[in-house]
Amino acid sequence: MWHWSVLPLLLAGGVLAGTRFERRSFTVGPDSFLLDGQPFHYVSGSVHYFKVPSAYWRDRLTRLRAAGVSALQTYVEWSSHQPEEGVTDFSGQQDLEQYLRLAQELGLLVILRPGPYIDAERDLGGLPYWLLRRQNVSLRSSDPAYMEAVTGWYDQLLPRVRPLLYSNGGPVIMVQVENEYGSYSSCDAVYMTQLRDLLRRHLGDDVLLFTTDGGADYFLRCGPVDGAFATVDFGTGSDAVEAFAAQRRHNKIGGPAVNSEFYPGWINHWGYPRNVVSTEEVVNATKTLISLGANFNVYMMLGGTSFGLRAGANMGDTFEACTTSYDFNAPYTESGNITDKLYALRELIYPYTNMTEVAVPDPLPVTSYGEVKMTWQTSLLEAVQALNVTRVSDSPAVPFCDVHQAYGFVAYSAEVTWKPPQPAVLSVPGVRDRGYVWLDGRPVGVLSRAESAFSIPLLAAKENTVTIIVESLGRICYGDIHDRKGILEAVTLGGRELTNWSITALPQDLTQLVPETPTPQGDALHPALYRGTFSAADPPADSFLHFPGWHKGVAFVNGVNLGRYWPAVGPQMTLYVPAPFLRAGENTVTLLEMDGAPCGPQESCAVALKDYPDLNGPTPDRISP
Ligand SMILES: *[C@@H]1O[C@H](CO)[C@@H](O)[C@H](O)[C@H]1NC(C)=O
Ligand SMILES: *[C@@H]1O[C@H](CO)[C@@H](O)[C@H](O)[C@H]1NC(C)=O
Ligand SMILES: *[C@@H]1O[C@H](CO)[C@@H](O)[C@H](O)[C@H]1NC(C)=O
Ligand SMILES: *[C@@H]1O[C@H](CO)[C@@H](O)[C@H](O)[C@H]1NC(C)=O
Ligand SMILES: *[C@@H]1O[C@H](CO)[C@@H](O)[C@H](O)[C@H]1NC(C)=O
Ligand SMILES: *[C@@H]1O[C@H](CO)[C@@H](O)[C@H](O)[C@H]1NC(C)=O
């Protein structure tokens, strides 16, 4: 029998060596997909290019292909490509076309999910933060303030996708409209129609559009749109027969059963025990999907990492921030290591897809670089005082987006201009998500949205300065995503409003805060910046940063933001350091530690680079410093 991956060579034109071929097509038949007119089912796997260093794309896609799948499924993250208003980037780490061509070269079809909203446990569900600058904007709706930006984005994105469509010789067989829209409160049918029409206008009538929603009528009420094939998503605990029956009720044309997100693991939040799905459960559920002749996507086959403070957050019982690692307990680990789950799934997938077998590549080398001695550089407050003020405002209610701060930290400072009672309560009801408070240079406490800790008693005097450095823990990515960060309401001291605020956005590259020579330590030991160096042989190898005795902060290697670390609350104890971020010779580790380094004044402290991760630490003390 032929294998589809030889088709790109044969079928580009339609007539070859006197033989008439079907035009390259991918469509929905009565009870299966039709690839070039022939019944076809796929198994795909999710690997997101924006969670893998581009130097590792080939390695990760080769691993995906070795799992036996016939297709790659990936989201497109709008905020990665348009990080600021008016800026568009499709180069380097953002070179989506290269990623999709690489998939094709490795023999994979592609199922593309261009959002615009994607969730993916990313800040604001992958939407760019600058949309929140638009007053009263209603995200994921037909609100012109939102759709104007979507239209501009699709004008950039979709012309790049069109040549990559299957019918045009590329790998893309399906394109998703929005993402789990039926789970969103606004239920705006006009919006879904507008998105569908934009996709059609740019991509033409040949491409198969689809939607994805939870596998129950409740979710399918608002998710599907006419002209797009409705699919469902569900994990190992769900009744597949029921879910596919619901899917069928919403597709007038019938069509195959499709689970667009079959979960072999699950997401994680700081402070909550690691989520694990057993291999046996995954194997059982996979057998069921295969016995039903379903198409399914393993979400995630390899989860990767939300480097650079790009992880999102969810509203559960309280505000819950997603971990930096997106390991997902997937068949391949965050760093591409092989698990039993991968071998078990592979045995089921190959006979079902008939893909020619590709051996699983050996794991990439890992190295233990050992202890890295960290030395004090400066207190965060001092570093911030050396920056230029971004804006002066009578009210502190200036969110991150208004001072063009995508992620990280913003400092708010005001003087007490009257004699307050002793003590007086400092009240900051609108802090999102954590506020580190100083009174005249002395750290006096931490405010926390997750714990509804919005006030601190202060012994303040007239002419004292109150400084609050606010940290974003990631914008909410699911549910009500209108999550502006910073301070959103008036701040009072003893019931009276503090006014005349100086507001300073900290640089995204926090290593810029390290002074040429370390400042004296003084009494205020944290938050503070620390730095250390280590040497790597040529070529460098993957490693994992361990934080013995450290609490919470942001880690950089050679100026690359590895993400948030927070071993004090777990469960993620280490950060992944991919070899492409390292260089042969000297490498620099920089930490912004928020809650306390494991050493006092004059002592040195250390982090350690080891050859194994720890994503399953204890979660003893939710959120509290
Ligand atoms: C935003 O909404 C508020 C309250 O609904 C309203 O007073 C204000 O005029 C609106 N602003 C804009 C720019 O539409
Ligand atoms: C998996 O299926 C087997 C055989 O049907 C059953 O005995 C076992 O309990 C199942 N395991 C899980 C975790 O569901
Ligand atoms: C794989 O081969 C079997 C047996 O020839 C066939 O029934 C099945 O449809 C094929 N699957 C795919 C995805 O082509
Ligand atoms: C602060 O502003 C001045 C004047 O615009 C500029 O020369 C200087 O580089 C700025 N300093 C920083 C740290 O941005
Ligand atoms: C506001 O604060 C700045 C800096 O602290 C100060 O120079 C200025 O005089 C203050 N303005 C008012 C009106 O108090
Ligand atoms: C890779 O997996 C093996 C087997 O589970 C384990 O011994 C090893 O520590 C893992 N390495 C990394 C870097 O995860």
Side-chain angles (χ1 to χ4, degrees), residues 242-265:
E242 287 271 315
F244 289 138
Q247 184 205 350
R248 222 155 283 133
R249 282 195 288 280
H250 289 267
N251 281 315
K252 293 170 198 105
I253 48 173
V258 182
N259 182 353
S260 288
E261 293 187 6
F262 169 60
Y263 310 110

Side-chain angles (χ1 to χ4, degrees), residues 380-381 409 412 431 433-438 443-447 456 467-471 473 526-527 552-553 566 593-595 625:
L380 178 62
L381 184 64
F409 302 82
Y412 300 76
V431 70
D433 302 302
R434 270 168 90 83
Y436 299 81
V437 186
W438 286 260
V444 288
V446 180
L447 306 161
I456 296 178
T467 302
I468 308 168
I469 297 188
V470 178
E471 174 181 17
L473 292 176
H526 57 81
K552 171 182 192 298
W566 202 347
E593 166 62 45
M594 302 307 287
D595 290 343

Side-chain angles (χ1 to χ4, degrees), residues 392 415 417 500-502:
V392 174
E415 195 184 287
T417 56
N500 190 23
W501 290 82
S502 298

Side-chain angles (χ1 to χ4, degrees), residues 23-306:
R23 205 162 146 257
R24 279 169 66 93
S25 67
F26 188 79
T27 55
V28 173
D31 50 20
S32 78
F33 287 118
L34 300 173
L35 181 70
D36 303 324
Q38 300 302 310
F40 172 81
H41 57 250
Y42 71 77
V43 178
S44 60
S46 287
V47 183
H48 299 149
Y49 62 98
F50 47 89
K51 290 173 184 160
V52 171
S54 54
Y56 277 171
W57 285 350
R58 179 177 289 276
D59 176 80
R60 302 312 194 236
L61 291 180
T62 304
R63 287 178 196 284
L64 174 67
R65 172 64 183 81
V69 302
S70 34
L72 159 71
Q73 177 167 297
T74 185
Y75 285 126
V76 179
E77 187 178 49
W78 183 1
S79 61
S80 289
H81 297 278
Q82 296 198 321
E84 297 294 340
E85 195 159 11
V87 175
T88 301
D89 184 1
F90 279 97
S91 65
Q93 184 67 42
Q94 268 64 251
D95 194 343
L96 173 70
E97 293 149 280
Q98 197 208 330
Y99 188 67
L100 302 184
R101 284 206 194 89
L102 197 48
Q104 182 171 26
E105 182 196 319
L106 294 170
L108 295 164
L109 296 166
V110 170
I111 298 162
L112 196 68
R113 316 175 83 188
Y117 165 83
I118 60 172
D119 187 350
E121 283 66 56
R122 298 285 278 187
D123 186 279
L124 201 58
L127 298 176
Y129 85 98
W130 47 261
L131 290 172
L132 294 173
R133 249 187 335 256
R134 303 178 177 202
Q135 269 208 2
N136 298 352
V137 67
S138 176
L139 302 172
R140 304 181 69 191
S141 81
S142 56
D143 178 359
Y146 170 71
M147 275 312 288
E148 177 265 337
V150 171
T151 305
W153 161 229
Y154 274 4
D155 282 346
Q156 297 290 330
L157 170 68
L158 298 178
R160 295 165 198 272
V161 170
R162 187 163 187 156
L164 295 169
L165 296 178
Y166 186 74
S167 56
N168 294 331
V172 178
I173 52 171
M174 295 168 76
V175 175
Q176 189 182 344
V177 188
E178 243 279 349
N179 185 44
E180 293 187 337
Y181 192 64
S183 300
Y184 193 58
S185 55
S186 57
C187 195
D188 181 349
V190 174
Y191 168 53
M192 287 300 282
T193 307
Q194 287 172 337
L195 282 184
R196 177 203 62 198
D197 292 349
L198 272 178
L199 290 167
R200 280 274 170 246
R201 180 155 64 74
H202 282 286
L203 301 179
D205 293 331
D206 280 350
V207 65
L208 179 61
L209 300 181
F210 75 106
T211 58
T212 299
D213 287 287
D217 290 319
Y218 169 79
F219 296 112
L220 286 155
R221 195 172 47 91
C222 290
V225 59
D226 277 350
F229 181 61
T231 75
V232 290
D233 56 14
F234 56 89
T236 56
S238 301
D239 184 330
V241 173
E242 287 271 315
F244 289 138
Q247 184 205 350
R248 222 155 283 133
R249 282 195 288 280
H250 289 267
N251 281 315
K252 293 170 198 105
I253 48 173
V258 182
N259 182 353
S260 288
E261 293 187 6
F262 169 60
Y263 310 110
W266 194 240
I267 63 174
N268 290 292
H269 296 104
W270 292 112
Y272 295 83
R274 179 167 200 235
N275 287 309
V276 168
V277 180
S278 76
T279 296
E280 190 182 326
E281 255 178 279
V282 175
V283 164
N284 281 6
T286 303
K287 284 180 181 162
T288 304
L289 292 172
I290 290 174
S291 72
L292 295 171
N295 301 264
F296 61 97
N297 172 65
V298 180
Y299 185 104
M300 303 292 294
M301 187 65 87
L302 190 161
T305 312
S306 282

Side-chain angles (χ1 to χ4, degrees), residues 342-574:
L342 184 271
Y343 287 121
L345 269 183
R346 196 172 181 270
E347 267 180 45
L348 301 175
I349 294 173
Y350 269 107
Y352 188 50
T353 58
N354 298 335
M355 294 293 282
T356 49
E357 188 163 338
V358 170
V360 181
D362 287 339
L364 293 175
V366 284
T367 295
S368 190
Y369 291 105
E371 261 197 9
V372 182
K373 189 179 152 194
M374 301 297 289
T375 54
W376 164 280
Q377 301 299 314
T378 183
S379 83
L380 178 62
L381 184 64
E382 264 186 90
V384 167
Q385 282 166 347
L387 299 173
N388 290 333
V389 169
T390 313
R391 181 185 294 192
V392 174
S393 162
D394 220 30
S395 160
V398 176
F400 276 38
C401 53
D402 284 13
V403 288
H404 295 244
Q405 185 71 331
Y407 317 104
F409 302 82
V410 173
Y412 300 76
S413 245
E415 195 184 287
V416 182
T417 56
W418 69 95
K419 187 172 179 305
Q422 304 286 321
V425 171
L426 177 76
S427 176
V428 194
V431 70
R432 292 183 180 181
D433 302 302
R434 270 168 90 83
Y436 299 81
V437 186
W438 286 260
L439 182 65
D440 254 20
R442 273 177 299 115
V444 288
V446 180
L447 306 161
S448 162
R449 173 188 191 178
E451 292 158 301
S452 302
F454 295 127
S455 60
I456 296 178
L458 291 185
L459 292 169
K462 189 175 175 191
E463 292 180 2
N464 278 176
T465 300
V466 173
T467 302
I468 308 168
I469 297 188
V470 178
E471 174 181 17
S472 165
L473 292 176
R475 295 184 183 82
I476 291 172
C477 53
Y478 182 84
D480 183 4
I481 54 176
H482 297 78
D483 189 19
R484 291 179 176 84
K485 298 302 191 185
I487 293 178
L488 305 187
E489 295 175 41
V491 172
T492 58
L493 181 66
R496 187 166 157 183
E497 269 187 41
L498 284 163
T499 56
N500 190 23
W501 290 82
S502 298
I503 301 169
T504 307
L506 275 61
Q508 289 304 312
D509 178 3
L510 293 163
T511 64
Q512 287 173 13
L513 296 178
V514 173
E516 300 236 330
T517 50
T519 63
Q521 264 177 303
D523 297 330
L525 288 179
H526 57 81
L529 287 133
Y530 293 81
R531 197 167 69 180
T533 58
F534 69 96
S535 176
D538 198 6
D542 282 5
S543 197
F544 298 87
L545 193 53
H546 292 238
F547 299 88
W550 300 79
H551 289 88
K552 171 182 192 298
V554 186
F556 291 80
V557 63
N558 302 325
V560 179
N561 189 330
L562 296 176
R564 193 181 314 287
Y565 66 89
W566 202 347
V569 300
Q572 179 178 358
M573 306 303 282
T574 60

